[in-house]
Each structure stands twice: as C-alpha cells, then as structure tokens.
Amino acid sequence: MNKHNMTTEKGIPSNSRVLMLFGQLEKLNRESMLVDPEIARQITAKVLHLIQTQEKTRKEIMSKASSGMEVILATLENTQDLQTILNILYILNELLTVGGGRRIGVFVSKGGTGILLQLVIRASKESPPSEEFMLQLHSVLAKVGPKDRKFGVKARLNGALNVTVNLLKQNLQNHKLLLPCLLVLQVYSSNTVNAVSLGKNGVVELMFRIIGPYSKKNTSLLKVSLDTLGALLKSKTNAQRAVVHVPVLLYIYQDWHRNDTRHRHILIRKGILGCLKNITNIKLGRKAFIDADGMRILYNTSNECLPVRTLDPLINTSSLIMRKCFPKNRLPLSTIKSVFHHQLLRVPAGGPVAQLYNQPLGVDDVVDESDNNEDAEAENDTENEVEEKYRHAGNDDVETDINKLRPKETHSRPFEELKIYERFFMELSEDFQVFNFDNPKRGVTATPAAPKSHRPIIVPTAQALPLKTPTAAPLQGECPHPAPVPALGLDTINITKDQDGCGDHTHSRSHPGAGLEQELVQGLERVALDGAGPQGGGGGVNKHNRQPPILAGAVAARLGGEGEEMSAEDWAEEEESDEGAVLHVPDTALLLPLHDPDLYMEMVKSTRSVPQFSEVAYPDYFGHVAPTSREHILERVYGVQRTKIFQDIERLIHPNDILDKVVYDLDIQSCTVVDGGESLKFNSQFESGNLRKAVQVRKFEYDLVLNSDINSNHYHQWFYFEVSGMRVGAPYRFNIINCEKSNSQFNYGMQVLMYSVQEAISGRPRWVRTGTDICYYKNHFSRSSIAAGGQKGKSYYTMTFSMTFNHKDDVCYFAYHYPYTYTTLKMHLQKLEALRTPQTYLREDVLCETLGGNSCPLLTITAMPESTSNDQICQFRNRPLVFLSSRVHPGETNASWVMKGTLEFLMGSSPLAHSLREAYIFKIVPMLNPDGVVNGNHRCSLSGEDLNRQWQNPSPELHPTIYHTKSLLQYLAAIQRAPLVFCDYHGHSRKKNVFMYGCSLKETVWETNISATSCELHEDLGYRTLPKILSQMAPAFSMASCSFVVERSKEATARVVVWREIGVQRSYTMESTLCGCDQGKYKGLQIGTRELEEMGAQFCVALLRLKRLTSPLKLRNHAHLLDVESDLMETRCKVSSSNPSTYLLEDEEASFMEEVDYSAESGDEPDTADNHLSESNNHRDSLT
C-alpha cells in the first residue's frame, strides 16, 4: 500500500507494473542492498522483460514525470551483483537504442556517464573481467559517448582510456567484443588530448593490425576500425606515426576498389580515404603520398568511379586529397609587384605600401622559402575553444564602443581652412543678376565643350579584320537582325515595383500634362525604363559622313604617341594599299546618344596613365548597346569543378602533354611570340586593361595571370583583355590562376563578359555574358606570406571558363564586368552638357588633380530659378543638398553604370526630373579613383591603398580625391548645410541584388553585449526610409540584404565617417551585384547595364518620394507605406534568432549538389560525403 501511495503522489499511474517494480528497487537502494541480491536480480529481470515486450513501458520510464532513470542508475551504482548489473546494462541498451538523442540526453544529465566509467574501472580490477559484462558496458558507452560533449575528458580523468585499450589488445580475435570497444575508442579519440595519449599507447599501430585487404567477412568491424583510425589521425602527432603506412593504405584502397565491383562497401572505401586525408594534412604525409604514387592511384580510381553517381563521395574525397598533395607551384612571375610603378613623393609611415617600399632587394616575394603547412609538434587540450569561437564569431567585427557610434560634436578643422572650398558652392550665393533668363541657350557650365576630331582614328589590335561589305555594317542607321534596343529613356519613368516574372520590360511614358501628385501617389505600381528611343535634340551628332577607321595590321598602331596625326594623303594611301583593313563602324550615335567615337578619341588624349597607354580598345571606341534578350544566371553543371581539377592533376601525371609556352608577357614587352598561328594572341595595353601574362599549357588551354594594383602586391580580381587569332569551334579553356578571394559569384551563375568586334561591325556592338563550365576553386599555386598579409601556407584560386568562338579572324575582349573607363566618363559628361536644357543648372568643376595627373570632376546639378526675384533666389539657395559619389574601387564598374543612370535622369527633360532638380541641389563626384580606373587596378589608387579606408584621416598628398571630397562635406557641415542624403555607389562581388549599408547606433548595439539605457539608444529611424522606398519601387533592390550595423573594419569608410563626423543620418553605401538577382522581377537573371542604369534612375525617384514623404504635411498620408518601426523590429527578431550579425543576412548562397571546396586550407575541409555538400564557406565581403 505504501508503494502504491508513493507512485500516486508522483503523478504516475498506480496500475503501472514497471513503476511498482521501480518502487521495490528504490526500497532496496535505501536498504543499501543488504538484502539477498537475488531479489534485485528478479526485479531487474522483470523490468527488462517488460521493456523488451512493451513499447509503452519504455515511454513510461523515460517520461518527464518518471523517476525510473534515477532508480536504475542508483541501483547500478550501489549493487555489486554481476547479474543485476548485466540486467541493468541490458535495460539501458534497450532504452537508449531508440528514442534518439533525447533519451541519451536525459541519461547524461542524470550522471549516467560517470557511473558507467566507474564500472569500467571496477571491472578492470577483476581478473579476468567478465566478457559479457565488458561487452554490454562498452555497448552502452558507445551509444552515450557521442552525445556527451565532456565524454573524452571524463574518460581521461577517470582512467578508462587505458582499460579500453588493454581490453582491445587482449581481444583482437574476439570480434564480438572488439566492435563496441572500437566504437568507444572512436569517441575517446574525438578529444585531441585523448588522441595523442592513445597514439603514445600504440593504438595507431594496433589499428593497422585490424584493417586489411578486401574480404567479405567482418565488414562492419573493418568499417568501425577505419573510422576509429580516422579519428585518431586527426591528431598531427598520430598522423606522423602513420606516415609509414601510407603505401599500405593505398594498396588496401586499390584492392577494395578492384574487388568491390557491386559497390556494396562504399563506406569502407570512404573510411580508407578518410585516413589518407588526415595523414596528408601534414607535410610528411603529403610527401609519402607522392612517393607512393598516390596521385596516379587516386586519379585512375576516381576516373573509373565517374560513371557511377553513387560513388561521388569517393571521387570528392579523392579530389580533395590530390589537391592537397599536388606540389605547390610558383606563379610564373619573377615578382608579384605590379609591372608598372608610380613613385610616390611621400611614402606612408606604415602599412603594406611602406613594407613594399622597404622590401630589401633580392627578396623573393612570389613564394616562401618553406611550405608552412607543417605540423605543430605540441598539441593542447582546446576542447573549450571551439565553443568559445562559435559564441563570439559573429560579433567580433561589430563596434562595441558607444562613443565611436555617436556623432562627433566638434569639427576637426577650423573654418578658415575650409573657406577655400566656398568656390565649389557658388550656387549657395548665386544671385543670377547677370543671367539672361530670356535667352534659352544660356545656362551654367564650367567646362566648355571639347572640339570634335575629324581625323581618321587608328584603333589597334593584334590582327586585321577582313573586309566587310557595306551591307554588313549599318552605316546609315540600317539595322540588321536583330533590331538594336532603343536608347534608354532614363528621364521618363513611372513609379512602382513590378512583381511580375522574368519577362521583358514593359515601358510606359509619363504624360507631361499629368500632375506630379498623381504620378507619385496614384501611380505607385512600377518603375521601368522608357524604351521609346532617344530623346530628341541635344545629344545626337550626325556622323553618317564620318570616315571609317583603319585597323592596324599585325603590329598595333600607336595613337598620338609622337604627337603625329595621319594626313589626308596618308589616309587615302592606306586605304588603297590595304583595303582588307577597312573597318565599317556602326553608327552608334543613333543607338547611344551619349556615345561619340570621335569625341572619345579626342578625350583619350588627355587621359594620363602610368604605362602611357597609346591604344584604344574596340569596345570603348564602339560603345555598348544593351542586348535585347535577358541573360539568365548560368545553371551550374554538376561535377564541373572536379572535372576541371582532374584536368589540372593531369598536368602532374602526364607532364609531357604540357606545352608551358609563354604567349604574352607584360614583364618582357619587347618579346614577340612567333608561333605560326598555333597560339592565341593577347593584349591588355589599353585603358583599364589588366592581364599580365598568358601561358599556353595545352593546345586550347591558357593560364592567365593578372597584374597587381600599382604600388601593391595583391588585389587580383579585375580583368580586361583582348584575344585574337582564334579557331572557330575550338573548345578553349581560360584559367585565371592568381585570384585571391575564397569564393566568388562565378560559383553561383555569374558569367564573364565578352565583346566581339565581328558582332560589333555587324550592327551588334555589345558586351554579352558568355562562357561555360565556369567555376572558382583553390589551386596549387603558392601564395607568399608577403602577398597574404603575413599568413603562410596560403594558395591562390582559379577562375576558369570555357569558350567556343563563332567567327574566324575575330577580335574579342573579355572583362570581369562591363567596362567603364575614365575617358568614357569624360565623354559622357561632355555629351550630358550638350543635353542640358535652359531650365537645368549644371556646373562641372575640377575638384582636384590625382596623383597620376588626371582631373577629378565635381558636378553640381539643380533647377534654375524661374526668375531673379528674392523668393525664387532664396528657394534656390536653400534647397537641401544630396551628395553622391562613385567608383572609389576601380574594379566595381557597375557603380559607374548606376551613376550614369542617375546622371542621365537628372539631366532629363521629364516632369519628374525637373521636380527632382527643383527639390535638391546635387553635388556629385562620379569617379573618386580615376587613376585606379585608368591603370586597370581593382581596388587601390596609385598610392597602393584602398581609398575607401582613408576617410578618417586622408592625406592631401596621397589621397587627394578623398581629402578634398571630405573637405567639401566638412565645409557644408561648418555652414550648417550638411547633406540630407549621402550615398556612395559600389559593387558587391559576393552577393546578389542591389542593397544598402547604412549606420544605426541602435541596431549596432543590438548586435553586441553592450548594456545601454534607452536614452542612450534614442535614434530617429529615418535612416531606413530611403532603402524602404527603394524596396517598394526597384525590382533589383532587396531590403533583406540591407544592413545598418557599424563594424570596426568599416569605420574609415565613407558612409561611417560621413555619418559620424559630418552628422548625416542618411549616409549610405549602395551596393550593386556583379552577378544578378534572386528575388523580384529580375529573379534568375544576370544584371546588365540596362538594369544598372535603371537602378540609378530609380534612386532619383526614391529621393523625390523621400522629399514628399518626409514633408510634415504629407507624412501622415503615407505613413502606411513606411512602417519603419515595425519593419525594424521584424528584422531584429529575425536576426537575433538566427544570425549574430545583420551584416550576414542573405549572404549565404544555396548549396550545390556536389562537394565544392572554395576556402578551406589543408586539413580543415568539411567532410560531406554522406550529404553531397554542406553549404560553402562563403565569407562576408563588403566592398564598401
């Protein structure tokens, strides 16, 4: 009756037989087992029978209300009777076999692991120990160990390690007992200190006594043995012990590969590879693998596995091992410094540039003296470090100093020093008294139109094109198939975000008669470019009678190198002597009102470059017309990466097939390659070009090396080069072998850009996305510690693509993204000035001169006042300012295309454009880094530094464009006219869509452990308004990708400095993808110049809505459109529950169906054979 009452009080059903039995056991425990042990045996036997026959019983014991597990463990701890212990071990095996980790978690939480380990020690003192007892005990330990994070530490402190090892040594032929012991040993080995201790105790050698060649017997035991050995070999000291066994492992693998013809034992074969993978994490292991002919063995076995999809885990692991063991090669360069050098008048006191200048002569900066992938001799118990790393990983870069997150209250420069910048703000004091409002042709400009060139234009190339008949080139506006797209009507747009699929644009022109209110409020459905054709008037210059340019023959002609121009007689003579070189230029003026080839050639004369370029690339001369069709994100072909890697491995296995022939080398510019037409011809000696070296490795395969940024030894990403001499239909492969980033959008559907001259002269002058079998992966070229910021053992990455050419004797250009040169900007600004209407105030000033001697333009755009009345002049002067900048990073050419769309819209004649000019004064620096753009840099200026990390303390000598741009903003702050909006246009190489980075005190604090009061976190949420507007309007814009967290690594960027020092709340970086979109109207499409220019125009319309929606009189009418508070809270909840930093939102790409190794160095690749790929290690990379 007492037992019945006890169970009832605990809320357990009184009719449960098992609970009654537990009550009896509990009584026995209180009596310290002094009674006859036979009673305990009988009770535990009955409980075991109930558990084996009734699932309901197992559930009752493991229920939260039950004390069954405590009773079982107490009995196990107190009893000395062997049979009772065995019964309880049987019970535990039954209970923990099903139910997953929850049941084991309950067992561990109640101290079960410690009790089992005490039993191990107790049993070891018996001689000999009971075999059945040890079997059942280790079976339970094998189940519990993987779920107990402290299992290894507990076992070591308890002394159970040696017990299990001794049991193993004594029972090598007892396969029944051997299996659970090996399983426990595998769990022990997951702890580094345990693995080292076991290795010293001879366990590694013991494992090699158990594993062996192909056999149909004891396959389960062999599989567990291999897994245990693999766990032990994760310790580098154990890997050193196993180096001598590498030939044995390769032999065993070959034997299983040959005999397992029905692929029933893939896990055993994978286990052997896992052991080889861990051994080859050390240098000695890699050497032993090479000496044992492991490359050839794994290469041949992997090729034999390729037809069977289920063998992919073996192929992937083999590929990983071969890549690690591939001998590190030297880049085919004498130095990683840029080919070109610009001497700085003042070298920075510290940093990479100073190290570059102070580097002693004769130092080899291409490779290190030794391979640093060597092994640490001592290993420490770091089991808690991983947990700490995960705990703090997300927040390391987030700013935690609240003082650095607050605006500065004092200005760092005296106003007297800033007064010199008053001349750039004449509009703030302009009275227009001398301006004639009756003369429609007069306006405001600071730059006169450049004179047009009427001379023949020499456009260089590697090879002359054949004669084209007049019908092939539409010189008089005739359009061949397909019809070119009309010019972008960027000044005429309607408002709202089209949520349709991926169809073509649907254009609709706004009606001038319609009221602005109706356009902005009632037309809130779509923003699209007007494709009705170029605006009439201003921009078109008749070039129908322009003489066609002459292409140079085999030797590239030089433009203006000696100041000579071809006379009319020479021109005519040239035509007669070589008619095959006549090139009919398409009349791009009819397609591109802002492009004028003659004006481009005139403008290029004043562009200064360090290499003193004297050639002009065809695409820059002809111009680019956006293609009519959509270009979809490329679907990745399954297995493409491993195919490319295997082709690379063939170089080592079959070295006689490799040509290794240098066909282009900027370091030896005088070296002319004569090959009888067997090789492609390359060229990059033109503005923005970047290709340092080309090496022909096979008949149709070329390794390409990019040039470093000037005064730098890295930043290899931007490329732009010319190719000619191709064969039609040949499968060419191009490998850019010195990329540095650990991942790229080339792995997620992005393609390279190609421009065909044959297509251009046939009426299709355009860049097109092209290339197949594109992938990006770590290669075998060693990256020196000098180039890797002090880190040793790093490798470069390869971006590879295949290409088949369609035209004989074509000249093609390849680029990372749509090129936009400094000369193109100068030409566009000149043409925009010609488009200016009398109602537009446009002034172009030269902000400063760059280190390379190029001018940095500063534009002022607003609306002219309607008259000289005081009210009109006052309204004109007091318009809020918007400050825009772009292209601080030369390789982010998409930023210039977005800026082009902004400028065209601002200079347009639509009512929206006019209203925008009336609402704001725009100050625009369209290219912050002209020198970097001109010289083909990717990231830096001629100072060798990232200009977007110099805003806190820019140098007038080293960073003049940043220094003077910041000075403009400081001047505005000093006169209480800080901009309403500051936005710096950028491109992003890791993410899709267009998005913004802003600055928020509150959101930054949320990402840290800072304790701050609500008054300290008081903040106007207006910084979210503009991105929210864009997310409602622009199809390419993604609010989910935006971030407003301030990070330490970004504290010297434009947006953070302008926010903190100038006090601009709406300070942004607008990032445009280099790839495409994964949401909205453009989902699944690669982004093109049309979409980028559209984004620039939509940004303008968003500013107009910002003006209206922040107006006190209008705000309440549109509050439902900008529910920023709730939106902010949604984002906060989403972030805090999933990711440690908003900066990482939407940063990860979907996983592939194959294992892809982008960023892992030797030894830290994830093992993903069971699920073909876990997500790639796609590191965050903001290019702000």
Side-chain angles (χ1 to χ4, degrees), residues 14-46:
S14 60
N15 58 353
S16 172
R17 184 180 175 192
V18 70
L19 295 180
M20 293 177 62
L21 293 172
F22 278 140
Q24 296 174 20
L25 269 180
E26 189 174 31
K27 182 179 179 182
L28 289 176
N29 289 334
R30 286 199 300 267
E31 296 173 357
S32 302
M33 295 290 180
L34 297 177
V35 295
D36 187 357
E38 183 64 30
I39 300 175
R41 293 177 198 165
Q42 293 176 1
I43 295 173
T44 53
K46 291 177 182 178

Side-chain angles (χ1 to χ4, degrees), residues 754-820:
M754 189 192 76
Y755 193 106
S756 165
V757 174
Q758 290 280 20
E759 289 289 314
I761 63 178
S762 299
R764 294 176 291 278
R766 61 182 58 122
W767 288 97
V768 295
R769 300 274 188 173
T770 192
T772 58
D773 295 340
I774 300 174
C775 59
Y776 187 97
Y777 57 89
K778 189 176 69 174
N779 61 33
H780 54 274
F781 288 101
S782 179
R783 186 178 174 195
S784 71
S785 58
I786 295 175
Q791 299 182 65
K792 293 186 177 182
K794 295 291 184 179
S795 297
Y796 286 102
Y797 291 76
T798 290
M799 194 287 285
T800 180
F801 65 97
S802 299
M803 182 67 206
T804 302
F805 296 98
N806 298 323
H807 301 291
K808 184 180 179 182
D809 297 325
D810 200 357
V811 177
C812 294
Y813 291 78
F814 292 96
Y816 179 65
H817 199 67
Y818 299 94
Y820 190 103

